[in-house]
Amino acid sequence: MATEEVKKKMVAKKEKKMPSPADLALDTATQEMITRSREMEVETIFDRAQTMKPCNIGAQGTCCKNCSQGPCRLPLPKGGIEGEDTRKGLCGATAHTIAARNFARMVAGGAAAHSDHGRGVAETFLAAARKETDDYRIMDTRKLLEIAPDFGVDITVEGENGEVLDRDIDEIAVEVGERALAQWGQQSGEVCTVRRAPKARYELWKKLGVVPRGIDREIVEIMHRTHIGVDQHYENILEQCSRAAIGDGWGGSMIATDLQDVLFGCPYPLKSSANLGVLKEDHVNIVIHGHEPLLSEMIVQAAELPEMVELAKEKGAKGIQLSGICCTANELLMRHGIPIAGNFLQQELAIVTGAVDAMVVVVHCIMENIANVAQCFHTKIITTNPRARIASGDTIHIEFDEHSAFEDAKKIVRVGIENFPNREKEVIIPSSQADLIAGFSYEAINYHLGGTFRGSYTTLNDNIINGRIRGIGGVVGCNNARTAFDSGHVAVVKELIKHDVIVLTTGCNAIACAKAGLLTPESAKVYCGPGLAEVCETVGIPPVLHMGSCVDNSRILMAATEVVKAGGLGDDISDVPVAGSAPEWMSEKAISIGHYFVASGVYTVFGVTMPVSGSPVFEDYLYNKLEGIYGGMWDLEVDPIKHAHKMIAHIDKKRKALGIDKARERVLMDMADRRALEAA
Ligand code: BF8
């Protein structure tokens, strides 16, 4: 048995091995809270990432556990494969079949998560349109009229004398709701919103036979094909991935974004702030975490009720501070300017401040361990969705129903308020928070970058053609505890804007950029190349445009489509100088997003890792051959600077193909001349 002294030495040795908070996270607020959690012996993901290492074979994507004869593990031999790859599972499945199956199941998981979110929104939308609930109503009729034709719904009607009359808005809303909801269960034909893609892209999908028939159908078919003994051709499996992923990006996610905009308003630029410093010691802090905005919209209204503010004061608080984590945060920010407490890896740390009176969770990206961390503090964890409950800890479940939404929200807010006097531990809130501007829906970009009299993407295209803007980077995705928190995000984005690539961002990347101060117009002068800085200064926009949550990646698809429509940059998304990126991805949703970017013609680079490295054949298919089929392909680059430069090289390749590479050289000469003049 170890003596006390030996024990101390062991602990010291263990502690010495633990990386310092500065090595684990970019921002000081996170570092402070990691330190506090360690001091208080509250275990977080930052600790577990040190003590639990990933399975090497699973990380390569070549562990098959799709039947009970396995798991069959096919690691890549050290030094790679020489000659024919003869590795096989018990059934004979090759490494590429196994890697493709595992990849496909990630697409299915991701597409299902996004699309089920969309289904929930569509159901609530329809309930609102049919006036079955008083709590939701059609708010943005402009957007409703804009999207209705895409669902095959007429917005005008012929009058008795042949005149064109406006149709009743309620009738239009009901029909849009019904048509939208039908896209999930449709068995044949096409998901109707897919037709929004540029004509050339849609025609390519038709030729390849990858237009999704129905959103759910394509996801189910992935699960069928990847069952033992079904689809054993990696190219054929990937084709099904394309159907499901397109059904997500151009279907489930896009419909979710559309209907959320109609119900809650299309976002336009507004100011706010981000990081743990937005929590307020003297206020009731209610943190809303997850993805669907249906409940959070009600919580915003409930928290503003005079009776709630009064109750908070009775309990000794000065008011109620709402903030968000993950994509619910992005939704609330985009439409209401509610501040963001943090992204994925900050959910436990928000509780570690001791200031969170209630953390209300919905669906996706909620770590089970928040329930354990909450037990070390007074925080109430409130689950609200029947699909997402937590067995650990001592959570409360207040089920949210769209028919009693406001009443449910009031109950939830009251739990937070009543918990305020129960704070036992010292409250320590990091001071760090950064100002930001968010709310760049593709409609808002249309307006801000548009011409003088009417919005269009022509000005953006002109600036790409004349080379001030080199190209567009869509940088999105999660945090990943296997890499220093936020550092990949921020390094990739800074490198892109330094080289005049304007960045469209969503999800946890958007939050990382916000915390790093990249979502302000002022940041252009500090971080951008001369061309992009000039455009941002002239138009008054940040160089990094926050377009919303992860379902709002559909806004990036629409922005790319608008660029094609505005002309001068080719006929298809694959012609445009654009590249995609997820520097710190971790979720299955990210894989579905990555694949619909690729299938839409976008070269897409992921950071950290890709679970396909155990199959050089499948890896080569994703990283090289797909470009010949879709005009877009996957890539992996762990080093953030190289990652950004791979994107830039692709953007330059597209500029060259369009014949606009010379324009940029001229612009750079002009700017250099101007600087020389300024210096003289
Ligand atoms: O949907 S970026 S960690 S919060 S999965 Fe999750 Fe990834 Fe964040 Fe938003 Ni998207």
Side-chain angles (χ1 to χ4, degrees), residues 507-541:
C508 288
N509 177 273
I511 301 175
C513 291
K515 289 183 284 176
L518 301 176
L519 302 191
T520 61
E522 298 75 31
S523 67
K525 221 176 182 173
V526 184
Y527 298 109
C528 293
L532 179 59
E534 192 185 338
V535 174
C536 291
E537 220 175 301
T538 312
V539 184
I541 54 164

Side-chain angles (χ1 to χ4, degrees), residues 291 326-327 344 365 477-479 507-508 550 586-587 589:
H291 283 74
C326 284
C327 282
F344 176 68
C365 306
C478 325
N479 298 131
C508 288
C550 283
M586 63 87 200
S587 73
K589 293 196 297 175

Side-chain angles (χ1 to χ4, degrees), residues 373-545:
V373 176
Q375 284 197 307
C376 306
F377 297 86
H378 76 299
T379 307
K380 300 271 187 215
I381 302 291
I382 307 171
T383 57
T384 56
N385 193 295
R387 308 186 208 93
R389 299 190 65 161
I390 298 178
S392 295
D394 194 14
T395 59
I396 303 170
H397 186 73
I398 301 178
E399 195 142 318
F400 166 73
D401 184 300
E402 73 262 24
H403 296 96
S404 55
F406 193 47
E407 283 309 309
D408 299 338
K410 283 200 281 187
K411 264 186 230 162
I412 290 165
V413 170
R414 203 166 279 127
V415 171
I417 296 172
E418 277 166 2
N419 198 30
F420 178 81
N422 298 332
R423 292 183 185 178
E424 296 155 0
K425 305 263 165 49
E426 188 190 356
V427 170
I428 298 181
I429 299 173
S431 58
S432 178
Q433 58 172 301
D435 292 339
L436 64 91
I437 294 185
F440 290 93
S441 54
Y442 85 87
E443 291 90 338
I445 296 177
N446 201 33
Y447 174 74
H448 277 267
L449 279 174
T452 316
F453 300 109
R454 122 189 139 77
S456 87
Y457 275 61
T458 311
T459 314
L460 175 61
N461 284 26
D462 285 350
N463 278 300
I464 294 174
I465 292 165
N466 69 28
R468 280 193 190 88
I469 296 177
R470 192 176 197 145
I472 304 168
V475 190
V476 307
C478 325
N479 298 131
N480 188 315
R482 301 295 178 194
T483 185
F485 172 47
D486 278 350
S487 59
H489 281 310
V490 173
V492 167
V493 171
K494 279 188 178 170
E495 196 64 13
L496 290 174
I497 61 176
K498 182 175 154 190
H499 290 87
D500 295 316
V501 176
I502 192 166
V503 171
L504 309 181
T505 178
T506 61
C508 288
N509 177 273
I511 301 175
C513 291
K515 289 183 284 176
L518 301 176
L519 302 191
T520 61
E522 298 75 31
S523 67
K525 221 176 182 173
V526 184
Y527 298 109
C528 293
L532 179 59
E534 192 185 338
V535 174
C536 291
E537 220 175 301
T538 312
V539 184
I541 54 164
V544 182
L545 303 179

